[in-house]
């Protein structure tokens, strides 16, 4: 997998080491990145859009405290690549409704049949009743190939050695859903169309899709497919809207750029990746992890840690903004902050960039407060019930004693946390009423009216 984007890893480390000026180094990095991506068969339009976004941010944004400008640039590259690959969410692999019918499409040899087997195993292991079907009557061995996989996984199979693929698909759905009561049916299709043209294959996919109305059409794409993947994905997409993508053969020497292009061409996200011939060589696609690997951030552990800290502080900032808007903060928010600050460890200085945090004393208490106190408070909060978390005012003397006992802390320590909770909430309330001004917080924007 390290071969994707060729030498991007080396680019990153030489960028960080280079002695050129920031502007020069950025320009050089972008130029090399473009070269590598084009070499990796990423569509030219995609490359140029990506680089202008990176360039613009690189020249405009100031890094947060504690982060060097060059490090921040790598974060920008990381962000933009993650965005390109579907954002920071890992896609939801589990169907929302049943039955869930998947139609696998893709060109010859892209790995559809193998992927059908992988999907079947993946979902069977997770307790679903899966069925496999093939409509491939063009390649003589296609039927046996999927049948064998179905037997290996231990799931029902439907296929016919010859006949009209559309009719076979319809029958397969009927048999697997009604006779075998499957929750999930995976339909494998042909990658070639007799001696026919590519157009015929596309028409057939469209007809099958119209006949069985799958819940999701998945494009299976080989990581080594080059530039033509972009056009191909677009063509498939025009015939049968692609819901998601599975990239196969990422274990090989492929650079994977074609697959990246397919993502952009269809607007669909990569859901799984295959990295081997065995059915177990299959995993959910995680854009962040993937890009971190591509950029070699695993080797730059401290840098990756810093990025995580920034993301964490971003989450805290969002929660704080909400608390300010509402004029209150829950015990759960406090818990989240305590945990984050602990997790960030020596990087907690990054937290200082959270606007208003230190002014609200939350920062002071936590940033300067001892590690030990954080542990105490975390354990106390963990001993509270959900009702107490949501509404600490119900915590009376006897509950205080029970919480202290449950967490192995003293009554005074529990009281101290509750006092702190009250103090923070009083400040938030005053803030909302406009009695308190906090530097760095745009109160107008947050809409804290003076009611
Ligand atoms: N190394 C590796 N090989 C794979 C992977 N996925 C599939 N293959 C191999 O690629 C070849 C083609 O796979 P198939 O699953 O038959 O491809 P297909 O799309 O069904 O092919 P057609 O039905 O002919 O269109 C087989 O030799 C598979 O073992 C993968 O993730 N890694
Ligand atoms: Mg096949």
């Amino acid at each position: 997998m390290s071969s994707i984007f060729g030498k991007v890893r080396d680019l990153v480390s030489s960028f960080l080491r280079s002695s050129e000026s920031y502007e020069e180094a950025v320009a050089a990095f972008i130029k090399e990145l473009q070269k590598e991506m084009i070499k990796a068969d990423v569509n030219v339009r995609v490359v140029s859009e990506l680089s202008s976004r990176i360039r613009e941010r690189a020249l405009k944004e100031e890094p947060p405290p504690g982060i060097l400008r060059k490090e921040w640039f790598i974060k920008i590259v990381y962000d933009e690549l993650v965005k390109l690959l579907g954002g920071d969410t890992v896609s939801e692999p589990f169907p929302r409704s049943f039955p869930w019918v998947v139609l696998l499409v893709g060109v010859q040899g892209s790995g559809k049949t193998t992927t059908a087997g992988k999907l079947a195993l993946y979902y069977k292991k997770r307790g679903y009743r899966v069925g496999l079907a093939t409509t491939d009557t063009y390649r003589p061995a296609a039927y046996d190939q999927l049948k064998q996989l179905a037997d290996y996984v231990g799931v029902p199979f439907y296929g016919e050695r010859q006949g009209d693929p559309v009719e076979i698909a319809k029958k397969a759905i009927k048999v697997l859903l009604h006779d075998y009561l499957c929750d999930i049916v995976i339909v494998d299709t042909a990658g070639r169309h007799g001696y026919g043209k590519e157009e015929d294959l596309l028409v057939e996919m469209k007809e099958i899709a119209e006949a069985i109305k799958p819940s999701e059409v998945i494009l299976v794409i080989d990581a080594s497919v080059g530039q033509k993947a972009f056009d191909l994905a677009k063509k498939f997409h025009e015939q049968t809207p692609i819901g998601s993508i599975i990239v196969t053969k990422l274990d090989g020497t492929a650079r994977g750029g074609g697959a990246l292009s397919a993502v952009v061409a269809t607007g669909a996200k990569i859901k799984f990746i295959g990295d081997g011939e065995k059915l177990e060589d299959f995993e959910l696609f995680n854009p962040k992890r993937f890009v971190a690997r591509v950029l070699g951030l695993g080797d730059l552990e401290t840098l990756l840690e810093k990025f995580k800290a920034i993301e964490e502080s971003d989450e805290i900032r969002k929660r704080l903004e909400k608390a300010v808007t509402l004029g209150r903060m829950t015990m759960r928010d406090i818990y989240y902050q305590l945990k984050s600050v602990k997790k960030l460890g020596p990087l907690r200085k990054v937290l200082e960039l959270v606007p208003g945090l230190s002014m609200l004393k939350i920062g002071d208490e936590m940033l300067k407060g001892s590690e030990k106190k954080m542990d105490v408070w975390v354990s106390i909060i963990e001993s509270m019930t959900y009702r107490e978390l949501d509404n600490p005012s119900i915590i009376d003397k006897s509950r205080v004693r029970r919480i202290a006992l449950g967490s192995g802390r003293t009554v005074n320590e529990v009281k101290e946390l509750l006092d702190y909770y009250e103090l923070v909430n009083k400040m938030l309330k005053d803030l909302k009423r406009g009695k308190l001004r906090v530097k760095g917080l745009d109160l107008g924007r947050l809409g804290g009216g003076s009611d």
Side-chain angles (χ1 to χ4, degrees):
M1 199 160 300
S2 58
S3 52
I4 293 160
F5 296 121
K7 291 189 287 234
V8 176
R9 275 161 178 262
D10 300 341
L11 274 184
V12 172
S13 56
S14 65
F15 172 83
L16 290 172
R17 272 186 279 111
S18 89
S19 53
E20 289 168 296
S21 75
Y22 176 73
E23 283 76 10
E24 278 169 349
V26 163
F29 181 96
I30 291 178
K31 203 168 145 209
E32 288 301 315
L33 182 71
Q34 286 176 332
K35 254 202 238 162
E36 289 304 321
M37 290 185 86
I38 301 231
K39 256 202 256 170
D41 297 314
V42 179
N43 181 278
V44 179
R45 208 195 72 214
V46 174
V47 174
S48 104
E49 282 173 8
L50 179 78
S51 26
S52 48
R53 266 201 311 277
I54 294 176
R55 192 178 300 115
E56 200 190 308
R57 286 186 59 187
L59 299 178
K60 201 176 66 189
E61 290 178 16
E62 283 298 320
I67 304 266
L68 301 175
R69 221 171 163 204
K70 279 188 174 168
E71 293 174 337
W72 187 243
F73 174 73
I74 299 302
K75 165 80 169 137
I76 293 173
V77 174
Y78 168 80
D79 280 351
E80 291 298 331
L81 286 174
V82 169
K83 226 193 277 168
L84 195 68
L85 285 172
D88 55 10
T89 49
V90 178
S91 50
E92 173 60 66
F94 302 115
R96 296 228 174 85
S97 60
F98 295 98
W100 193 60
V101 176
V102 193
L103 183 67
L104 296 180
V105 301
V107 291
Q108 189 184 334
S110 55
K112 294 175 296 300
T113 308
T114 312
T115 300
K118 289 179 174 182
L119 281 168
L121 181 66
Y122 184 90
Y123 287 111
K124 191 189 168 193
K125 265 193 193 162
R126 286 160 181 80
Y128 294 94
R129 294 172 67 100
V130 190
L132 280 171
T134 183
T135 64
D136 187 353
T137 54
Y138 301 98
R139 201 163 55 84
Y143 177 100
D144 297 308
Q145 190 192 353
L146 191 65
K147 170 110 181 40
Q148 262 171 28
L149 291 174
D151 289 345
Y152 175 82
V153 178
V155 296
F157 165 79
Y158 186 89
E160 289 174 35
R161 291 184 190 275
Q162 44 194 305
D164 175 8
V166 176
E167 289 309 315
I168 297 173
K170 283 204 278 198
K171 231 188 219 162
I173 297 296
K174 223 188 216 159
V175 170
L176 293 171
L177 289 188
H178 299 116
D179 300 350
Y180 286 98
L181 302 173
C182 293
D183 314 310
I184 298 179
V185 174
I186 296 153
V187 183
D188 180 24
T189 62
R192 79 179 96 171
H193 196 275
Y195 295 105
K197 303 182 298 268
E198 195 178 71
E199 275 69 44
D200 296 333
L201 179 68
L202 293 172
V203 168
E204 184 174 299
M205 292 309 119
K206 187 183 162 93
E207 284 172 1
I208 294 176
E210 277 167 3
I212 63 171
K213 300 204 170 34
S215 325
E216 188 164 334
V217 178
I218 301 185
L219 178 67
V220 177
I221 201 160
D222 176 336
S224 66
V225 170
Q227 172 69 50
K228 69 173 200 268
F230 186 83
D231 299 327
L232 198 85
K234 246 167 99 176
K235 272 194 224 160
F236 265 114
H237 192 53
E238 278 156 17
Q239 295 301 324
T240 45
I242 303 299
S244 60
I245 294 171
I246 294 178
V247 183
T248 64
K249 307 187 195 179
L250 272 168
D251 49 318
T253 52
R255 288 170 300 204
L260 230 172
S261 293
V263 174
V264 181
T266 58
K269 291 185 178 176
I270 300 174
K271 203 169 198 171
F272 290 99
I273 53 178
D275 56 357
E277 294 190 47
K278 290 203 299 290
L279 294 192
E280 290 78 11
D281 300 330
F282 193 61
E283 61 179 88
L284 207 57
F285 178 65
N286 180 330
K288 277 189 176 174
R289 203 189 307 150
F290 187 79
V291 172
R293 248 190 278 184
V294 167
L295 294 180
L297 294 183
D299 308 336
L300 303 167
E301 208 146 318
T302 35
L303 189 56
L304 194 61
E305 288 296 314
K306 280 190 191 178
F307 292 175
K308 279 193 196 135
I310 294 171
E311 280 162 14
E312 197 83 36
S313 69
D314 230 34
E315 174 66 26
I316 294 183
R317 183 182 49 75
K318 274 188 221 150
R319 279 175 181 253
L320 186 70
E321 280 182 1
K322 196 173 154 212
V324 170
T325 314
L326 296 174
R328 65 181 288 261
M329 179 176 272
T330 68
M331 203 56 111
R332 289 181 204 272
D333 292 326
I334 292 175
Y335 183 68
Y336 184 86
Q337 285 175 353
L338 287 166
K339 291 289 263 195
S340 307
V341 171
K342 251 187 82 68
K343 229 185 323 178
L344 297 180
L347 289 165
R348 73 177 59 138
K349 265 196 125 22
V350 179
L351 279 180
E352 285 168 8
L353 67 122
V354 177
L357 195 64
S358 59
M359 286 299 284
L360 277 172
K361 289 277 182 208
I362 303 165
D364 283 1
E365 282 289 329
M366 289 186 195
L367 297 177
K368 297 193 189 116
S370 69
E371 200 75 34
K372 219 170 136 225
K373 191 169 191 172
M374 285 195 254
D375 285 339
V376 171
W377 284 7
V378 162
S379 67
I380 291 173
I381 298 178
E382 280 170 351
S383 291
M384 294 181 176
T385 65
Y386 286 156
R387 276 194 63 213
E388 289 164 351
L389 281 179
D390 292 331
N391 187 11
S393 67
I394 62 169
I395 301 177
D396 55 15
K397 263 190 191 157
S398 77
R399 282 183 189 238
V400 167
R401 265 201 306 278
R402 184 194 49 73
I403 292 168
L405 211 63
S407 56
R409 305 296 177 183
T410 67
V411 165
N412 270 340
E413 283 169 328
V414 179
K415 279 190 183 151
E416 198 185 14
L417 170 63
L418 290 173
D419 286 347
Y420 172 69
Y421 168 83
E422 298 233 328
L423 176 75
V424 169
N425 272 293
K426 185 179 174 308
M427 292 181 103
L428 284 167
K429 214 160 128 193
D430 288 348
L431 193 64
K432 188 173 158 133
R433 289 196 184 132
K435 281 193 200 157
L436 195 69
R437 296 253 148 223
V438 175
K439 209 174 77 193
L441 266 182
D442 183 352
L443 293 176
R445 192 168 56 82
L446 291 165
S450 50
D451 50 346

